[in-house]
Amino acid sequence: MFDKLEDLLHRFEEILNELNEPTVAENQARFRALMKEQSDLTPIVEAYREYKKCNETVDDSLSLLDSENDEEMREMLKEELNDAKKRIEELETQLKVLLLPKDPNDDKNVIVEIRAGAGGDEAALFAAEIYRMYVHYAEGRRWKVELLNVDEIGIGGMKEVQFVITGQGAYSRMKYESGVHRVQRVPETESGGRIHTSTISVAVMPEVDEDIDIVIDEKDIRVDVMRASGNGGQCVNTTDSAVRLTHYPTGIVVYSQTEKSQLQNKAKAFALLKSKLYDMEQQQRHDAEAELRRSQIGTGDRSEKIRTYNFPQGRVTDHRINLTLYKLDKIMNGDIDEILDACISADQAAKLVRMNGEAV
């Protein structure tokens, strides 16, 4: 590990030297690549430099203890020594986490798809609430949300909704939301006051950009244009602007109707189709690597029940990490960082255990 850290420190210094060259800004692509690499390496380098400094403190304290006779001074040196040793242990764990293989999709924007499952209208209402939860969460992190498609029902629910979240590290956090979300509550339409259980499914897919090669043959696609349905407004349902794509080899059907322009809707539909094809490829790879899937926290199996929202008790339980929080109102308003941080920590811990097992 420490050989690798020395190599990374050396590489970090090389990047700084190159960035100081007056001509580097002339090649914008190279400049952006160097800035990104510097940003990725900075937390590792800072932790490693602190680690080395703490080791120096340990050596200096031990050396001074050998020659120091004053008892008060010896106590101070011992305290300094113990603090440095404790910090070294913390930094070793931190460095192991920082050196874990990074998911290449973590920096990507995401396409989120929410579908109502069991529960009829109540499931559609809950799907709309989860959509709003994610919108609030994205706004809190200064991410941008762009609607791709929505199939609404008259009482304010959504049978399905697809949208893009654009922002730094969106996939690194939102990927833990994939799976089945379950709600337990008394529906407004229930006269007997009985608690019902409904479900929705959430799929989080990395947005496909230029660095991912997804080839779609025109012969494999049927393009249909039609008048947009739904509430309309801003002329979206007065022209044949909506676009539906059918991908014959996979049977995937995508639909976009949120823009006035047919060209814009077509571009959105193709972006969604590309992400779905890439996601299908990723899922197949996960299926082939069963051990990897088991070591991950809810980023593989879309049929996995990941979370329950119990309204009568005001609690939310994430079943993957056995976390229960009694702050349902805050969570439904987008305060989901505590859950996502716990998922990330559990995921990293599982990967560390797996990595240590392989090292043995």
Side-chain angles (χ1 to χ4, degrees):
M1 180 174 91
F2 295 105
D3 288 342
K4 185 173 183 179
L5 286 165
E6 283 294 332
D7 290 342
L8 292 175
L9 179 58
H10 181 64
R11 174 59 188 154
F12 184 78
E13 289 165 351
E14 283 182 343
I15 292 167
L16 291 181
N17 289 334
E18 190 169 348
L19 284 170
N20 285 328
E21 293 289 331
T23 57
V24 70
E26 295 172 7
N27 185 340
Q28 281 297 303
R30 176 64 179 163
F31 181 74
R32 283 194 298 270
L34 287 169
M35 289 296 292
K36 185 180 185 309
E37 193 176 357
Q38 180 199 21
S39 176
D40 290 342
L41 288 176
T42 295
I44 300 173
V45 168
E46 287 178 349
Y48 184 48
R49 281 175 173 166
E50 186 183 352
Y51 175 87
K52 292 175 79 170
K53 190 174 179 181
C54 286
N55 270 306
E56 289 174 9
T57 300
V58 168
D59 291 340
D60 291 344
S61 297
L62 288 170
S63 177
L64 288 168
L65 273 169
D66 285 342
S67 58
E68 183 60 59
N69 294 319
D70 183 80
E71 196 56 39
E72 189 175 335
M73 192 64 184
R74 286 179 64 83
E75 286 302 315
M76 286 178 60
L77 288 168
K78 285 178 183 177
E79 187 176 339
E80 189 177 72
L81 177 63
N82 289 333
D83 288 345
K85 284 182 174 179
K86 183 180 176 183
R87 185 59 183 148
I88 284 171
E89 288 181 11
E90 294 170 350
L91 287 166
E92 281 182 354
T93 302
Q94 184 181 337
L95 285 165
K96 285 176 183 176
V97 170
L98 288 169
L99 289 175
L100 284 172
K102 191 177 178 184
D103 186 334
N105 294 317
D106 273 354
D107 290 332
K108 296 187 185 303
N109 303 323
V110 295
I111 293 179
V112 184
E113 182 176 81
I114 304 172
R115 291 180 181 271
D121 287 351
E122 171 65 7
L125 286 167
F126 185 56
E129 290 174 70
I130 292 297
Y131 166 68
R132 286 190 289 273
M133 179 181 82
Y134 292 145
V135 170
H136 289 316
Y137 179 65
E139 288 171 349
R141 297 190 74 88
R142 299 180 183 270
W143 293 342
K144 180 185 172 187
V145 177
E146 184 181 5
L147 196 62
L148 290 175
N149 179 50
V150 59
D151 183 3
E152 296 176 298
I153 64 173
I155 58 173
M158 297 175 175
K159 288 184 180 178
E160 67 175 90
V161 57
Q162 290 111 10
F163 54 100
V164 181
I165 297 179
T166 304
Q168 182 65 36
Y171 186 76
S172 70
R173 299 190 69 79
M174 288 298 298
K175 64 183 177 183
Y176 296 100
E177 291 300 295
S178 283
V180 175
H181 296 237
R182 182 175 69 171
V183 60
Q184 294 173 328
R185 64 184 174 187
V186 179
E188 292 179 14
T189 54
E190 171 59 50
S191 58
R194 293 174 300 170
I195 295 174
H196 283 225
T197 298
S198 305
T199 61
I200 65 162
S201 64
V202 176
V204 179
M205 301 164 280
E207 188 178 39
V208 177
D209 49 28
E210 295 76 17
D211 65 336
I212 298 175
D213 188 23
I214 299 290
V215 179
I216 301 176
D217 195 321
E218 288 186 13
K219 299 192 295 293
D220 293 336
I221 295 287
R222 188 178 81 211
V223 181
D224 297 310
V225 296
M226 62 206 72
R227 195 156 293 187
S229 59
N231 296 328
Q234 299 183 341
C235 307
V236 294
N237 57 359
T238 60
T239 61
D240 291 337
S241 59
V243 174
R244 182 176 64 211
L245 302 181
T246 305
H247 187 244
Y248 293 123
T250 61
I252 293 174
V253 178
V254 297
Y255 187 72
S256 179
Q257 65 169 8
T258 56
E259 301 292 338
K260 295 180 190 178
S261 159
Q262 186 185 117
L263 282 174
Q264 288 175 312
N265 280 323
K266 190 175 181 180
K268 281 188 172 184
F270 266 99
L272 179 55
L273 177 60
K274 281 187 174 183
S275 287
K276 279 181 171 281
L277 291 172
Y278 178 65
D279 185 60
M280 185 178 287
E281 198 177 278
Q282 295 280 95
Q283 291 292 306
Q284 289 169 350
R285 191 174 298 127
H286 283 173
D287 289 342
E289 299 171 4
E291 183 59 38
L292 174 61
R293 169 179 280 190
R294 281 195 294 272
S295 74
Q296 292 181 325
I297 306 297
T299 60
D301 191 351
R302 291 284 158 72
S303 65
E304 178 187 9
K305 182 184 72 179
I306 66 166
R307 198 173 299 148
T308 295
Y309 305 73
N310 186 294
F311 277 71
Q313 297 178 19
R315 65 173 166 83
V316 176
T317 299
D318 196 291
H319 305 289
R320 298 163 295 180
I321 53 177
N322 295 319
L323 174 69
T324 296
L325 300 173
Y326 288 89
K327 46 187 261 185
L328 177 64
D329 289 346
K330 288 184 177 180
I331 287 168
M332 296 308 295
N333 280 320
D335 185 5
I336 58 174
D337 266 329
E338 188 173 352
I339 297 174
L340 297 184
D341 287 342
C343 286
I344 291 168
S345 295
D347 196 13
Q348 290 172 343
K351 286 174 181 172
L352 281 172
V353 169
R354 183 165 162 266
M355 185 177 73
N356 291 336
E358 289 174 354
V360 172

